[in-house]
PDB file of all heavy atoms in Angstrom:
ATOM      1  N   VAL Q  88     -10.568 -19.673  16.280  1.00 97.00           N
ATOM      2  CA  VAL Q  88     -11.312 -18.666  17.032  1.00 97.00           C
ATOM      3  C   VAL Q  88     -12.805 -18.762  16.720  1.00 97.00           C
ATOM      4  O   VAL Q  88     -13.655 -18.535  17.587  1.00 97.00           O
ATOM      5  CB  VAL Q  88     -10.783 -17.256  16.722  1.00 97.00           C
ATOM      6  CG1 VAL Q  88     -11.558 -16.191  17.476  1.00 97.00           C
ATOM      7  CG2 VAL Q  88      -9.295 -17.165  17.062  1.00 97.00           C
ATOM      8  N   SER Q  89     -13.130 -19.089  15.480  1.00 96.00           N
ATOM      9  CA  SER Q  89     -14.520 -19.291  15.073  1.00 96.00           C
ATOM     10  C   SER Q  89     -14.549 -20.488  14.131  1.00 96.00           C
ATOM     11  O   SER Q  89     -13.542 -21.180  13.954  1.00 96.00           O
ATOM     12  CB  SER Q  89     -15.072 -18.034  14.387  1.00 96.00           C
ATOM     13  OG  SER Q  89     -14.467 -17.853  13.113  1.00 96.00           O
ATOM     14  N   ASP Q  90     -15.701 -20.724  13.485  1.00 94.00           N
ATOM     15  CA  ASP Q  90     -15.803 -21.867  12.576  1.00 94.00           C
ATOM     16  C   ASP Q  90     -15.035 -21.663  11.268  1.00 94.00           C
ATOM     17  O   ASP Q  90     -14.890 -22.607  10.498  1.00 94.00           O
ATOM     18  CB  ASP Q  90     -17.270 -22.153  12.263  1.00 94.00           C
ATOM     19  CG  ASP Q  90     -17.962 -22.926  13.382  1.00 94.00           C
ATOM     20  OD1 ASP Q  90     -17.255 -23.594  14.155  1.00 94.00           O
ATOM     21  OD2 ASP Q  90     -19.205 -22.839  13.470  1.00 94.00           O
ATOM     22  N   HIS Q  91     -14.565 -20.436  11.014  1.00 96.00           N
ATOM     23  CA  HIS Q  91     -13.832 -20.196   9.771  1.00 96.00           C
ATOM     24  C   HIS Q  91     -12.608 -19.300   9.941  1.00 96.00           C
ATOM     25  O   HIS Q  91     -11.959 -18.972   8.949  1.00 96.00           O
ATOM     26  CB  HIS Q  91     -14.758 -19.575   8.716  1.00 96.00           C
ATOM     27  CG  HIS Q  91     -15.880 -20.470   8.296  1.00 96.00           C
ATOM     28  ND1 HIS Q  91     -15.693 -21.612   7.552  1.00 96.00           N
ATOM     29  CD2 HIS Q  91     -17.223 -20.390   8.544  1.00 96.00           C
ATOM     30  CE1 HIS Q  91     -16.852 -22.206   7.344  1.00 96.00           C
ATOM     31  NE2 HIS Q  91     -17.797 -21.493   7.933  1.00 96.00           N
ATOM     32  N   PHE Q  92     -12.274 -18.915  11.166  1.00 97.00           N
ATOM     33  CA  PHE Q  92     -11.142 -18.018  11.388  1.00 97.00           C
ATOM     34  C   PHE Q  92     -10.198 -18.624  12.413  1.00 97.00           C
ATOM     35  O   PHE Q  92     -10.610 -19.028  13.511  1.00 97.00           O
ATOM     36  CB  PHE Q  92     -11.621 -16.645  11.870  1.00 97.00           C
ATOM     37  CG  PHE Q  92     -10.497 -15.665  12.099  1.00 97.00           C
ATOM     38  CD1 PHE Q  92      -9.892 -15.024  11.032  1.00 97.00           C
ATOM     39  CD2 PHE Q  92     -10.031 -15.403  13.376  1.00 97.00           C
ATOM     40  CE1 PHE Q  92      -8.851 -14.124  11.227  1.00 97.00           C
ATOM     41  CE2 PHE Q  92      -8.998 -14.501  13.591  1.00 97.00           C
ATOM     42  CZ  PHE Q  92      -8.408 -13.860  12.510  1.00 97.00           C
ATOM     43  N   GLY Q  93      -8.908 -18.707  12.054  1.00 97.00           N
ATOM     44  CA  GLY Q  93      -7.917 -19.300  12.946  1.00 97.00           C
ATOM     45  C   GLY Q  93      -6.682 -18.434  13.083  1.00 97.00           C
ATOM     46  O   GLY Q  93      -6.372 -17.617  12.211  1.00 97.00           O
ATOM     47  N   VAL Q  94      -5.988 -18.600  14.195  1.00 98.00           N
ATOM     48  CA  VAL Q  94      -4.713 -17.931  14.421  1.00 98.00           C
ATOM     49  C   VAL Q  94      -3.646 -18.999  14.603  1.00 98.00           C
ATOM     50  O   VAL Q  94      -3.925 -20.117  15.067  1.00 98.00           O
ATOM     51  CB  VAL Q  94      -4.765 -16.998  15.653  1.00 98.00           C
ATOM     52  CG1 VAL Q  94      -5.726 -15.857  15.411  1.00 98.00           C
ATOM     53  CG2 VAL Q  94      -5.172 -17.773  16.913  1.00 98.00           C
ATOM     54  N   LEU Q  95      -2.415 -18.673  14.242  1.00 96.00           N
ATOM     55  CA  LEU Q  95      -1.336 -19.648  14.362  1.00 96.00           C
ATOM     56  C   LEU Q  95      -0.040 -18.964  14.764  1.00 96.00           C
ATOM     57  O   LEU Q  95       0.129 -17.757  14.596  1.00 96.00           O
ATOM     58  CB  LEU Q  95      -1.154 -20.439  13.059  1.00 96.00           C
ATOM     59  CG  LEU Q  95      -1.048 -19.712  11.731  1.00 96.00           C
ATOM     60  CD1 LEU Q  95       0.359 -19.189  11.489  1.00 96.00           C
ATOM     61  CD2 LEU Q  95      -1.457 -20.633  10.596  1.00 96.00           C
ATOM     62  N   PHE Q  96       0.856 -19.759  15.323  1.00 97.00           N
ATOM     63  CA  PHE Q  96       2.176 -19.278  15.703  1.00 97.00           C
ATOM     64  C   PHE Q  96       3.169 -20.405  15.506  1.00 97.00           C
ATOM     65  O   PHE Q  96       2.829 -21.589  15.594  1.00 97.00           O
ATOM     66  CB  PHE Q  96       2.192 -18.795  17.162  1.00 97.00           C
ATOM     67  CG  PHE Q  96       1.750 -19.838  18.156  1.00 97.00           C
ATOM     68  CD1 PHE Q  96       2.663 -20.696  18.749  1.00 97.00           C
ATOM     69  CD2 PHE Q  96       0.408 -19.963  18.492  1.00 97.00           C
ATOM     70  CE1 PHE Q  96       2.254 -21.663  19.666  1.00 97.00           C
ATOM     71  CE2 PHE Q  96      -0.011 -20.923  19.417  1.00 97.00           C
ATOM     72  CZ  PHE Q  96       0.921 -21.769  19.999  1.00 97.00           C
ATOM     73  N   SER Q  97       4.416 -20.036  15.206  1.00 97.00           N
ATOM     74  CA  SER Q  97       5.459 -21.022  14.942  1.00 97.00           C
ATOM     75  C   SER Q  97       6.803 -20.491  15.415  1.00 97.00           C
ATOM     76  O   SER Q  97       7.028 -19.280  15.442  1.00 97.00           O
ATOM     77  CB  SER Q  97       5.548 -21.337  13.441  1.00 97.00           C
ATOM     78  OG  SER Q  97       4.338 -21.819  12.934  1.00 97.00           O
TER      79      SER Q  97
END
Side-chain angles (χ1 to χ4, degrees):
V88 179
S89 70
D90 280 337
H91 296 290
F92 181 78
V94 295
L95 50 81
F96 57 91
S97 302

